[in-house]
């Protein structure tokens, strides 16, 4: 089953959401997991998931921690949204990102917001979608300090080999997006070959990271097919086999029986 496990369908760059979903279905994409940026966007994501019979995760991204004024309130709001809809399948995307904050001024807040959402996922027994960019050390420090980590995935993987090893050991799945097709992505393609097939997920991260030859354009869930083909070629397996396995992985991680 071809699934785009990570798309931002509520992003204004996707002008016609229904059309994007239709186009994806026309090329054989059977499911899409919608990812929000903050709590307001989480509500929109759940609405689209319900209307279009898709699925969504809810939570606050590291780049949007400014929208959080009180962590207890945030956790209450997430829990409420989870309880409201059977279309919510996890907490995400959450994580740590110091790419835009080299001086790490937001470090304390990012780590608090991330940790609180991770603990909620453990309590609710829900999987997490984790975003990590330029924050390997901090990420491992949070994971290592938790008594129990939730199951989950590192989406649009961007870490090094040692980091990959550590998170695989902790049971996490690994998602790859359109940047796997970029000419300069040799190291990322090497990371891909180190991920066991039963831990691999496919995603577009649309509207960002359009795969070659569409790089620079607005990305859409239909392009997960291009990513599947590129990943299969890199792993030297048949595209159909890859689609079947990664689909199974996604359903297993998010406890879906569809
Ligand atoms: Ni994303």
């Amino acid at each position: 089953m071809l699934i785009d496990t990570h798309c931002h369908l509520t992003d204004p760059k996707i002008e016609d959401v229904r059309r994007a979903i239709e186009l994806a279905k026309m090329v054989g994409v059977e499911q899409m997991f919608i990812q929000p940026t903050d709590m307001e966007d989480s509500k929109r994501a759940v609405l689209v998931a319900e209307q279009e019979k898709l699925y969504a995760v809810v939570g606050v991204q590291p780049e949007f921690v400014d929208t959080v004024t009180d962590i207890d309130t945030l956790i209450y709001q997430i829990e409420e949204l989870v309880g409201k809809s059977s279309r919510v399948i996890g907490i995400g995307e959450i994580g740590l990102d110091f790419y835009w904050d080299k001086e790490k001024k937001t470090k304390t807040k990012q780590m608090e917001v991330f940790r609180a959402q991770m603990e909620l996922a453990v309590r609710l027994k829900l999987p997490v979608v984790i975003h990590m960019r330029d924050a390997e050390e901090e990420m491992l420090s949070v994971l290592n300090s938790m008594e129990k980590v939730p199951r989950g995935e590192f989406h649009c993987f961007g870490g090094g080999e040692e980091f990959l090893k550590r998170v695989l050991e902790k049971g996490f799945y690994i998602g790859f997006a359109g940047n796997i097709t970029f000419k300069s992505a040799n190291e990322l393609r090497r990371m891909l070959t180190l991920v066991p097939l039963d831990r691999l997920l496919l995603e577009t991260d649309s509207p960002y990271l359009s795969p070659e030859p569409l790089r620079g354009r607005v990305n859409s869930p239909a392009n997960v097919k291009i990513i599947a083909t590129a990943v299969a070629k890199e792993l030297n397996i048949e595209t159909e086999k890859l689609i079947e396995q990664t689909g199974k992985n996604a359903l297993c991680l998010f406890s879906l029986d569809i």
Side-chain angles (χ1 to χ4, degrees):
M1 180 186 272
L2 185 54
I3 300 176
D4 182 359
T5 60
H6 195 108
C7 50
H8 296 271
L9 284 180
T10 55
D11 191 298
K13 285 192 192 70
I14 297 182
E15 282 170 13
D16 189 339
V17 179
R18 191 152 275 168
R19 181 84 188 125
I21 296 168
E22 259 173 38
L23 284 173
K25 288 191 170 162
M26 275 165 59
V27 301
V29 182
E30 289 183 66
Q31 252 311 325
M32 290 152 244
F33 300 164
I34 310 169
Q35 312 287 320
T37 53
D38 60 14
M39 286 318 291
E40 278 310 305
D41 198 31
S42 291
K43 289 178 199 156
R44 287 192 287 270
V46 174
L47 207 62
V48 174
E50 284 183 341
Q51 284 165 351
E52 305 294 334
K53 296 192 170 60
L54 303 176
Y55 293 97
V57 293
V58 294
V60 175
Q61 283 187 20
E63 305 97 308
F64 287 78
V65 286
D66 278 354
T67 62
V68 180
T69 44
D70 178 71
I71 292 184
D72 291 339
T73 310
L74 167 72
I75 295 307
Y76 175 81
Q77 288 171 336
I78 296 176
E79 201 170 347
E80 194 180 39
L81 207 46
V82 168
K84 258 188 193 160
S85 173
S86 59
R87 293 277 156 191
V88 178
I89 52 170
I91 311 284
E93 61 176 287
I94 60 175
L96 300 172
D97 187 331
F98 299 120
Y99 182 79
W100 299 109
D101 179 17
K102 304 275 187 233
E103 290 166 30
K104 303 190 179 177
K105 284 185 187 148
T106 59
K107 179 173 158 175
T108 309
K109 180 128 186 220
Q110 281 199 40
M111 287 177 82
E112 278 171 7
V113 171
F114 174 55
R115 199 191 165 96
Q117 295 181 98
M118 289 286 278
E119 283 167 354
L120 177 66
V122 171
R123 182 155 63 80
L124 299 180
K125 297 190 171 64
L126 283 173
V128 288
V129 177
I130 304 180
H131 168 109
M132 190 289 296
R133 200 176 187 196
D134 291 353
E136 290 190 357
E137 201 187 312
E138 291 82 359
M139 178 58 67
L140 289 174
S141 114
V142 173
L143 296 180
N144 290 333
S145 70
M146 290 181 73
E147 207 174 296
K148 189 172 186 275
V149 290
R151 63 188 200 283
E153 64 154 310
F154 277 81
H155 104 88
C156 190
F157 189 74
E161 185 170 351
E162 189 54 36
F163 181 82
L164 176 64
K165 243 199 252 167
R166 304 281 288 277
V167 296
L168 281 171
E169 276 165 15
K170 289 183 187 295
F172 287 103
Y173 288 66
I174 311 290
F176 288 91
N179 52 344
I180 196 82
T181 65
F182 296 175
K183 275 196 186 73
S184 57
N186 287 327
E187 184 61 8
L188 187 61
R189 283 187 285 271
R190 194 174 72 81
M191 292 304 116
L192 167 66
T193 63
L194 302 176
V195 178
L197 210 50
D198 62 359
R199 294 285 192 87
L200 203 57
L201 298 170
L202 300 176
E203 60 167 282
T204 59
D205 206 9
S206 52
Y208 309 99
L209 294 176
S210 268
E212 294 287 3
L214 306 171
R215 189 173 180 180
R217 290 200 223 163
V218 173
N219 198 4
S220 112
N223 295 335
V224 75
K225 187 121 194 230
I226 300 176
I227 296 162
T229 308
V231 167
K233 194 176 160 217
E234 203 55 44
L235 297 177
N236 213 5
I237 59 173
E238 279 174 34
T239 306
E240 276 318 304
K241 196 185 160 214
L242 177 79
I243 287 173
E244 191 193 322
Q245 182 63 50
T246 51
K248 262 190 211 165
N249 298 346
L251 298 182
C252 174
L253 173 59
F254 291 96
S255 304
L256 287 171
D257 184 16
I258 46 174

